[in-house]
Amino acid sequence: MRKRFGFDFYRNMRIRNKLSLLIALIVALSFSATLLVQQYAFSIYDSQIYSKSSQVLNLSSSAIEAELKRIRQISYNVTADGQIQSLLKKIANPDTSDYDRLLLRRDLVDRLLNYTGTEPYLLSIQLYDALGHENAAGNVKALNDAKIADLLSRSDEAEGEQVLRYPDESDSALVTARKVRAYEGTDFSLKRLGMLVIRINIERIVRENAPAEGELLIRSGSDIVYPVHPAFADVGLDEEESRNGSGYFVGSFGGERYFVSHIESGNSGWMYFNLTPFNQIFERIIFIKELVVFVFVGLLIVVIAWGFRFSRSLTRPIDDLIARMRLAERGNFEEANLLSIDTASVPRDEVGLLHRSFRIMIERINTLITENFKSRLLVKETEFKALQAQINPHFLYNTLESINWMAKINRQPQISQMVEALGFLLRNSISLGDPLIPLREELGLVESYVTIQKYRFEERLEFETDIPEALLGRTIPKLTLQPLLENAVNYAVEPSMSPCRIVIRARESSAEGLLLLTVEDSGPGMDPRMLERLRSGEARGQGRGIGLLNIDERIKIAFGEAYGVRVESEPGQATRVTLALPAEDART
């Protein structure tokens, strides 16, 4: 009982008192949350460092590896270049004169310039022909005999694969070499034509792709790939860390502590190290903690100031609003009494009064909306039945015309089949049952209509259906396919002396969420102006048809504005009419 009394007392308090209590609670909770956030910041310190450093190192190492892989492909393209292969073969030919070799080597250098001129990371391309002569393009730096001999020996052993020479004191470029073998045209002897040497500006690649903060060190085993003069050459991994391939540790270098994250490249096997000053990262964490405290203190000051101001100004506007709502209650809604008898559950403060008055307004508006919605449904249903009823005389007229023509010309017992088909059509069209029927029943109407028209046009009418068995149970508006088939007969079969093919297809479009029913004929098609009149509903089917607008309106009434009829046609080509219906069954 005492607990219930305390709860009722709080509910019936003035808003100003409630706000004062709420502000005091916010102050206490906010300071508690500030202390918890500070402790949490300390606990996630290590994980933040590892996450950020690993992410940056992954991105930079991937970017560097991508550029080196692209340059590797360029070196392969140079060795496979048909023009370069041809020039090297001619130079190696012992019957070629010295003057001709001079001209050939000039052409070879021109060809190499096409590669160096478009690649910012290539310092030079040096191609040594079979006679040992250097053909170079770009910012060339001569290699000493020892380097050439080393690259030549290793490239021969690699059998066309790329070999690397890391930067050193004499040359800061990363050097890649590849044996040039003959396989151009019909020559697949793979004999040695020369050696391709490419000098790569590894400094620029790292500068443009490595993280701006910290130092990057690239190692291949015990060899240092980058930089030439490393400040942290003694960075290494123990046996367990080497097996993991990636991770982090804290080390001291030059009397200063560094956070070192490392990752092994799966492509080249190189190990990438990123060294960031430990104190620099710690200062950022301190800044984040101070920023959090500052935000909380500022938020508390703003909330307290706003709360007191709000508590002083809230009551008066609410009272004014209640007075206006009571005036509205005594206006046009005096006869309605929608308040519940039990008002004990409604609070007795200003918000409770606002709630009761507002509920009266909402319930009355809801009543008006419900009545209006029912009336609109009644109008739509009436429109739907009126549109459907227009089709009956259309069927009767065309069918009787076909029967009359058959009776005068043939006078055969087959007329009974036409009469049976006509009766089936009339029974289904006149029926006022469910306006939505399965596709299987609609096809029965279509087949009855085709039976009648087959006797009229004989071999001139070719009719097919391409409808999956799974779609035959889908519901569609009644009498939608038969008028489309009749239009195809009138506009395609009747004016043509040659056979005309009409196909009804059905498919589901998962991308659009639609069931698409298509009636396509091989008739003469329509010009753009006639097509536009047909889409707008101006064309009336030679004065007798209901028109596509009727079908389109019935589909929209049944399923919504997103569905309807689509028409595609060009002069001299087929005409295609598509019904866009919901993919899901309308009865579900």
Side-chain angles (χ1 to χ4, degrees):
M1 180 65 68
R2 185 175 300 176
K3 182 177 179 181
R4 178 66 182 176
F5 173 78
F7 179 73
D8 291 339
F9 176 76
Y10 172 77
R11 293 182 62 196
N12 297 323
M13 286 176 60
R14 302 288 294 178
I15 290 180
R16 182 178 301 177
N17 298 331
K18 287 183 178 180
L19 285 177
S20 300
L21 182 61
L22 180 61
I23 291 171
L25 181 62
I26 290 176
V27 170
L29 291 178
S30 298
F31 275 109
S32 301
T34 302
L35 294 176
L36 291 175
V37 169
Q38 286 181 338
Q39 295 300 320
Y40 179 71
F42 280 113
S43 67
I44 65 173
Y45 173 71
D46 291 336
S47 61
Q48 284 182 335
I49 295 176
Y50 171 72
S51 176
K52 178 181 177 182
S53 299
S54 298
Q55 182 180 10
V56 172
L57 188 59
N58 279 331
L59 293 175
S60 60
S61 62
S62 299
I64 294 173
E65 291 284 338
E67 292 298 334
L68 294 176
K69 184 177 180 181
R70 188 175 62 84
I71 294 175
R72 178 181 179 182
Q73 182 62 37
I74 291 174
S75 69
Y76 174 77
N77 294 339
V78 173
T79 60
D81 191 303
Q83 184 176 348
I84 292 178
Q85 288 263 330
S86 177
L87 292 172
L88 289 175
K89 288 178 183 179
K90 292 178 181 179
I91 293 173
N93 191 342
D95 297 331
T96 305
S97 65
D98 293 340
Y99 177 74
D100 290 336
R101 285 194 179 97
L102 179 62
L103 296 179
L104 292 171
R105 286 166 176 157
R106 187 182 64 181
D107 294 340
L108 187 59
V109 171
D110 291 340
R111 186 61 179 170
L112 296 178
L113 286 172
N114 293 334
Y115 290 95
T116 59
T118 58
E119 293 297 330
Y121 297 135
L122 296 187
L123 291 174
S124 66
I125 298 180
Q126 296 160 260
L127 183 57
Y128 295 87
D129 56 35
L131 302 180
H133 185 273
E134 180 187 50
N135 305 276
N139 185 12
V140 181
K141 186 170 185 177
L143 302 176
N144 57 42
D145 294 338
K147 286 185 178 181
I148 295 176
D150 175 66
L151 293 174
L152 184 60
S153 173
R154 292 167 58 199
S155 63
D156 285 339
E157 294 175 359
E159 292 295 334
E161 290 296 325
Q162 174 182 263
V163 296
L164 296 175
R165 187 175 182 89
Y166 303 127
D168 54 22
E169 295 289 342
S170 61
D171 190 1
S172 62
L174 176 65
V175 180
T176 174
R178 186 189 294 270
K179 179 181 177 181
V180 182
R181 300 187 292 180
Y183 53 87
E184 185 267 335
T186 60
D187 184 3
F188 290 94
S189 61
L190 299 181
K191 67 180 181 179
R192 185 179 181 279
L193 296 178
M195 179 179 65
L196 174 68
V197 177
I198 297 179
R199 295 175 59 250
I200 304 170
N201 192 347
I202 186 67
E203 174 72 27
R204 183 173 179 180
I205 293 178
V206 173
R207 185 173 65 251
E208 293 182 1
N209 295 282
E213 300 176 356
E215 298 290 338
L216 182 67
L217 176 67
I218 306 176
R219 300 182 63 171
S220 177
S222 60
D223 297 324
I224 296 179
V225 180
Y226 175 86
V228 177
H229 302 287
F232 309 98
D234 55 343
V235 175
L237 300 174
D238 58 30
E239 184 178 351
E240 184 175 354
E241 288 174 329
S242 300
R243 287 198 301 268
N244 294 335
S246 62
Y248 71 97
F249 61 91
V250 178
S252 297
F253 307 99
E256 186 176 356
R257 298 180 69 197
Y258 285 86
F259 178 82
V260 183
S261 60
H262 58 88
I263 187 170
E264 183 179 4
S265 170
N267 183 33
S268 63
W270 291 355
M271 187 69 72
Y272 290 79
F273 296 87
N274 187 43
L275 295 88
T276 307
F278 193 82
N279 292 334
Q280 180 180 350
I281 303 177
F282 183 76
E283 290 175 359
R284 292 186 176 181
I285 298 297
I286 293 296
F287 172 75
I288 293 175
K289 292 191 294 182
E290 293 177 349
L291 179 62
V292 169
V293 174
F294 176 78
V295 169
F296 269 99
V297 171
L299 182 62
L300 288 175
I301 295 174
V302 171
V303 169
I304 291 173
W306 175 81
F308 284 109
R309 181 180 179 86
F310 180 75
S311 63
R312 290 194 302 267
S313 60
L314 183 63
T315 306
R316 187 173 59 231
I318 292 180
D319 291 338
D320 294 340
L321 179 59
I322 292 173
R324 292 178 180 274
M325 295 179 69
R326 286 176 174 172
L327 289 176
E329 292 178 30
R330 292 194 297 267
N332 298 329
F333 314 111
E334 291 180 353
E335 296 180 0
N337 183 14
L338 302 179
L339 283 175
S340 60
I341 299 177
D342 183 16
T343 59
S345 60
V346 180
R348 298 179 183 178
D349 59 7
E350 295 86 350
V351 176
L353 296 176
L354 177 62
H355 172 74
R356 288 196 294 270
S357 301
F358 186 70
R359 188 179 61 183
I360 292 174
M361 183 182 298
I362 290 299
E363 290 181 356
R364 289 178 176 174
I365 293 175
N366 185 55
T367 300
L368 294 176
I369 292 175
T370 302
E371 293 175 356
N372 183 55
F373 180 73
K374 290 181 179 179
S375 63
R376 288 182 63 85
L377 283 180
L378 182 60
V379 171
K380 288 292 184 180
E381 184 179 358
T382 304
E383 291 176 354
F384 188 93
K385 292 183 178 179
L387 289 170
Q388 185 178 358
Q390 296 177 10
I391 302 177
N392 300 334
H394 184 64
F395 284 157
L396 182 61
Y397 179 84
N398 289 283
T399 305
L400 290 178
E401 182 181 21
S402 299
I403 295 175
N404 183 43
W405 179 85
M406 193 70 186
K408 290 182 179 181
I409 301 301
N410 293 325
R411 296 185 179 180
Q412 295 180 2
Q414 298 170 340
I415 296 178
S416 61
Q417 297 181 15
M418 297 179 64
V419 173
E420 291 177 1
L422 173 61
F424 181 77
L425 282 173
L426 290 178
R427 280 193 304 271
N428 285 275
S429 63
I430 295 174
S431 173
L432 295 178
D434 194 345
L436 298 177
I437 63 174
L439 178 57
R440 182 182 291 104
E441 295 183 12
E442 181 71 13
L443 289 176
L445 297 175
V446 169
E447 291 174 358
S448 297
Y449 178 79
V450 171
T451 299
I452 296 172
Q453 297 299 336
K454 276 283 188 178
Y455 288 112
R456 178 181 179 186
F457 296 104
E458 297 181 345
E459 69 276 1
R460 287 169 55 193
L461 174 59
E462 299 178 1
F463 175 72
E464 298 179 13
T465 58
D466 181 11
I467 301 176
E469 182 70 24
L471 301 180
L472 291 177
R474 298 294 178 85
T475 55
I476 65 172
K478 186 177 181 181
L479 293 174
T480 52
L481 289 178
Q482 190 276 336
L484 299 181
L485 187 67
E486 185 172 355
N487 285 340
V489 170
N490 291 336
Y491 288 100
V493 180
E494 188 170 353
S496 176
M497 298 303 298
S498 59
C500 182
R501 184 167 173 262
I502 301 176
V503 182
I504 297 180
R505 295 186 175 91
R507 65 181 180 88
E508 282 187 301
S509 175
S510 58
E512 301 179 90
L514 298 174
L515 170 64
L516 301 178
L517 300 177
T518 303
V519 178
E520 181 178 352
D521 64 68
S522 60
M526 292 180 280
D527 57 75
R529 186 169 56 183
M530 179 61 185
L531 182 61
E532 185 63 28
R533 293 181 63 239
L534 193 64
R535 288 171 175 169
S536 64
E538 297 179 9
R540 300 293 295 176
Q542 299 179 349
R544 300 176 301 176
I546 300 304
L548 297 180
L549 187 60
N550 177 281
I551 301 175
D552 187 64
E553 289 179 352
R554 288 193 291 127
I555 292 176
K556 285 180 168 54
I557 291 174
F559 303 116
E561 295 295 326
Y563 308 97
V565 179
R566 307 172 183 174
V567 185
E568 304 173 55
S569 181
E570 293 183 8
Q573 299 185 12
T575 298
R576 184 183 298 106
V577 181
T578 302
L579 304 181
L581 304 172
E584 298 295 331
D585 197 321
R587 295 178 185 271
T588 60

